[in-house]
Amino acid sequence: MQKKDLLSLADLSRREICELIDRAKILKQWKSQGIVHKPLEGKTLGLIFNKPSTRTRVTFEVGMYQLGGTSLFLSEKEIQLGRGETVADTAKVLSRYVDGVVMRTFKQSDLEEFAQEATCPLINGLTDSFHPCQILADIMTIEEAIGRIEGTKVAYVGDFNNVANSLILGALLMGYHITVACPKECEASDELKSKIEIVEKREESSGTYEVIDDPIEAVKDADIIYTDVWISMGQEKERDKKLKLFSPYQVNKELVSKSKEGVKIMHCLPAHRGEEITSDVLDSENSIVFDQAENRLHIQKAILEYLLSGSKWNFAIT
């Protein structure tokens, strides 16, 4: 069986995304019912993390354990990759030891090089360009909160980053509309443009996106208002500049009031309260932020089962 990687949402079809989300909902239900399901007994997952993490690391480690497998956390400081061993050599060696790898790193190109050389599946745990696992959890969360994903309107307000990139790809694949509201200084990366071109050629591509600089216009009639941190990992030296640039894009009560009643609030976390979002909005009854965080566990269990089990899902317990 040929291995499959998840480097961006462009690696998935609409059908695969729907199946992953349906499977995640089943796994979530089984967990709440205390049903033991261990299809990955004897499997090992390697976690290569060159960036700090709370949700990604914990959910993959816990998810792998709950599915019956084991995981190895490999920080850059603890393996030879941090001392000059090439990405290609690391990929070839680890493929002899583990059944799959999650990689959380800076450059998408490093991820793609690893995938090319590895013989085991590779999952993108976050790069500067894309964050596919997060958006799969987000789509699941929107479906749970609103009852549908197709036709919904998402307003993303803030930095044009890896989350915004992946939300756009998700829109094209899943039939929702996203408006990205960000300063004019921000623009789509070449990597995003390349993935958009790939996805838009598919017959299944049905969603739409636009990029504007007016946050009030973006949230008008939105079903979802989504934001993320303004200063991503590795950009700490730009903090003062970014705080000034993005201050008009704070998600606060005033901005939320410009949207429809009952609009849902999303944030992929961690949140810098008082910067990109205020605490009263983050903790409001409209917030589904912590549902998003929980769903990372369930969707990533579905991803692990899909990529590492080597067989199609059996939706009944055997």
Side-chain angles (χ1 to χ4, degrees), residues 27-302:
L27 294 172
K28 184 176 183 177
Q29 181 181 0
W30 287 354
K31 183 177 182 295
S32 70
Q33 295 172 342
I35 295 173
V36 176
H37 175 62
K38 297 188 174 183
L40 298 184
E41 282 187 320
K43 301 283 187 178
T44 302
L45 179 71
L47 301 165
I48 300 177
F49 278 44
N50 299 335
K51 288 187 173 188
S53 170
T54 299
R55 280 147 296 276
T56 302
R57 176 179 176 179
V58 172
T59 49
F60 270 116
E61 288 197 12
V62 171
M64 196 64 183
Y65 171 78
Q66 290 179 359
L67 292 172
T70 189
S71 58
L72 298 170
F73 181 76
L74 307 167
S75 75
E76 188 178 41
K77 295 178 181 179
E78 297 169 329
I79 59 175
Q80 296 298 328
L81 187 62
R83 298 181 64 248
E85 185 170 37
T86 66
V87 171
D89 287 351
T90 302
K92 291 173 182 176
V93 169
L94 286 183
S95 294
R96 306 285 183 105
Y97 303 149
V98 300
D99 300 285
V101 172
V102 176
M103 193 171 187
R104 184 178 176 94
T105 191
F106 293 91
K107 296 179 181 178
Q108 185 75 12
S109 58
D110 285 345
L111 194 79
E112 291 173 355
E113 182 182 359
F114 191 104
Q116 185 174 352
E117 299 296 337
T119 56
C120 65
L122 177 64
I123 300 168
N124 181 355
L126 177 144
T127 65
D128 288 347
S129 301
F130 300 106
H131 199 355
C133 295
Q134 178 65 57
I135 275 54
L136 290 172
D138 294 341
I139 294 170
M140 176 181 175
T141 307
I142 293 170
E143 283 192 355
E144 289 178 336
I146 296 178
R148 60 187 170 85
I149 186 65
E150 191 168 9
T152 58
K153 181 179 179 183
V154 178
Y156 176 91
V157 181
D159 191 17
F160 203 153
N161 61 10
N162 51 5
V163 170
N165 290 348
S166 296
L167 282 167
I168 289 173
L169 295 180
L172 296 175
L173 285 164
M174 298 303 293
Y176 62 88
H177 174 78
I178 181 169
T179 301
V180 175
C182 61
K184 291 181 179 179
E185 290 87 341
C186 301
E187 59 182 2
S189 66
D190 289 339
E191 285 174 320
L192 174 60
K193 291 176 182 176
S194 174
K195 299 301 183 188
I196 288 174
E197 186 176 349
I198 291 171
V199 172
E200 284 186 327
K201 289 179 180 178
R202 301 180 189 172
E203 290 184 10
E204 64 184 353
S205 180
S206 60
T208 56
Y209 73 95
E210 62 178 334
V211 181
I212 64 175
D213 63 355
D214 185 349
I216 294 176
E217 180 63 26
V219 303
K220 184 179 178 181
D221 297 324
D223 298 295
I224 303 289
I225 298 176
Y226 196 127
T227 191
D228 190 13
V229 295
W230 295 338
I231 298 97
S232 298
M233 287 174 278
Q235 299 178 345
E236 288 77 12
K237 292 182 179 179
E238 302 174 40
R239 177 176 177 80
D240 291 342
K241 177 184 176 182
K242 285 206 161 194
L243 288 178
K244 183 177 180 180
L245 180 65
F246 288 104
S247 60
Y249 295 86
Q250 184 185 72
V251 176
N252 50 38
K253 274 190 172 181
E254 182 179 358
L255 182 64
V256 173
S257 71
K258 307 297 183 182
S259 189
K260 65 166 63 171
E261 185 177 353
V263 63
K264 302 300 183 183
I265 307 300
M266 300 182 75
H267 190 308
C268 59
L269 299 178
H272 294 170
R273 293 169 180 257
E275 291 184 10
E276 75 276 359
I277 191 168
T278 57
S279 288
D280 54 0
V281 173
L282 183 63
D283 297 326
S284 70
E285 62 180 12
N286 290 357
S287 172
I288 52 175
V289 169
F290 295 102
D291 296 326
Q292 284 178 266
E294 178 189 346
N295 284 338
R296 288 289 301 279
L297 172 63
H298 308 302
I299 198 71
Q300 284 164 194
K301 285 170 67 176

